[in-house]
Amino acid sequence: MATLLHLDSAAFPQGSTSREVTAAFVAAWREQHPNGDVVYRDLAAAPLPHLDASAIAAGADDTLRGELAAELAAADAVLIGAPMYNFSIPSTLKAWLDQVIIVGHNAGPDSPVAGTPFTVVASRGGSYAPGTPREDFEFVRNYLEKVLTGMLGAEVDFIVPELTLAHSKPEMAELIPLALASRTQAFTEAAEKAKALAARLAD
């Protein structure tokens, strides 16, 4: 029986594309793997404290850090909703990463998390894809890929719904068809990836 650790970090509980896509992923996961467990953390509703000196010094002996690290280690797969805020990830998600990544415990070449599949829903209001004017402003996918693979040795896959602000910004109105296509693709990918991952872990 596989365990999925699901983290959402979007500030708004309603109308969040990243939350909608992660919810679709979880629904497909449960359909494919009804006996699996889903452990959920809403980092916006229940934010974690920023890492401080005492927690750094304590490492895995810190109560919260030890709990988070154990929760991560027990997960067979991880799902993260990571909307782009000011070209980067929400501070609530950064706080989780700072708390859960513990050098000498789960970070490094012998990480117990190595090989764990992470699926990141990296939604954004515009487009930062290669070849776009703001390509070099993309610090969500680039950062998360580096930190999750480089420190934890995780296997990382991304779902990237783009242009989520097209419906609300008049200057982006001409991009609405592309936004709709990106949204549809994101939901399709969420269902497909969740089912494939659940089937793989259920073997």
Side-chain angles (χ1 to χ4, degrees):
M1 184 172 66
T3 297
L4 174 68
L5 174 60
H6 172 196
L7 309 170
D8 275 327
S9 61
F12 293 99
Q14 306 295 329
S16 160
T17 298
S18 67
R19 286 180 182 272
E20 291 171 352
V21 176
T22 59
F25 185 104
V26 171
W29 166 281
R30 290 186 186 278
E31 180 182 341
Q32 181 69 33
H33 191 33
N35 294 322
D37 286 336
V38 177
V39 176
Y40 182 58
R41 279 189 179 271
D42 187 332
L43 299 174
L48 299 169
H50 290 293
L51 193 61
D52 59 19
S54 62
I56 293 173
D61 291 329
D62 178 81
T63 300
L64 176 60
R65 301 191 79 194
E67 174 190 337
L68 294 171
E71 188 175 76
L72 177 59
D76 298 289
V78 181
L79 172 66
I80 300 176
M84 178 183 280
Y85 289 170
N86 298 321
F87 309 122
S88 187
I89 63 173
S91 62
T92 52
L93 178 55
K94 182 62 164 62
W96 179 81
L97 289 166
D98 288 343
Q99 294 283 5
V100 81
I101 297 175
I102 306 172
V103 175
H105 180 71
N106 61 8
D110 299 318
S111 172
V113 184
T116 300
F118 280 64
T119 303
V120 179
V121 178
S123 59
R124 59 276 314 276
S127 179
Y128 302 82
T132 61
R134 288 195 165 185
E135 174 184 356
D136 60 348
F137 284 77
E138 209 296 320
F139 301 109
V140 173
R141 181 169 183 161
N142 290 339
Y143 168 70
L144 288 175
E145 187 166 26
K146 297 300 183 186
V147 74
L148 295 174
T149 62
M151 299 197 75
L152 296 176
E155 170 191 315
V156 186
D157 194 14
F158 287 88
I159 299 171
V160 186
E162 295 188 318
L163 304 168
T164 62
L165 292 177
H167 288 83
S168 59
K169 289 187 173 292
E171 64 270 27
M172 295 178 67
E174 65 181 16
L175 300 175
I176 288 176
L178 292 176
L180 290 172
S182 180
R183 179 180 174 84
T184 299
Q185 179 64 25
F187 280 102
T188 299
E189 287 185 21
E192 292 176 348
K193 292 176 185 293
K195 289 178 181 178
L197 187 57
R200 166 183 153 189
L201 295 174
D203 291 339

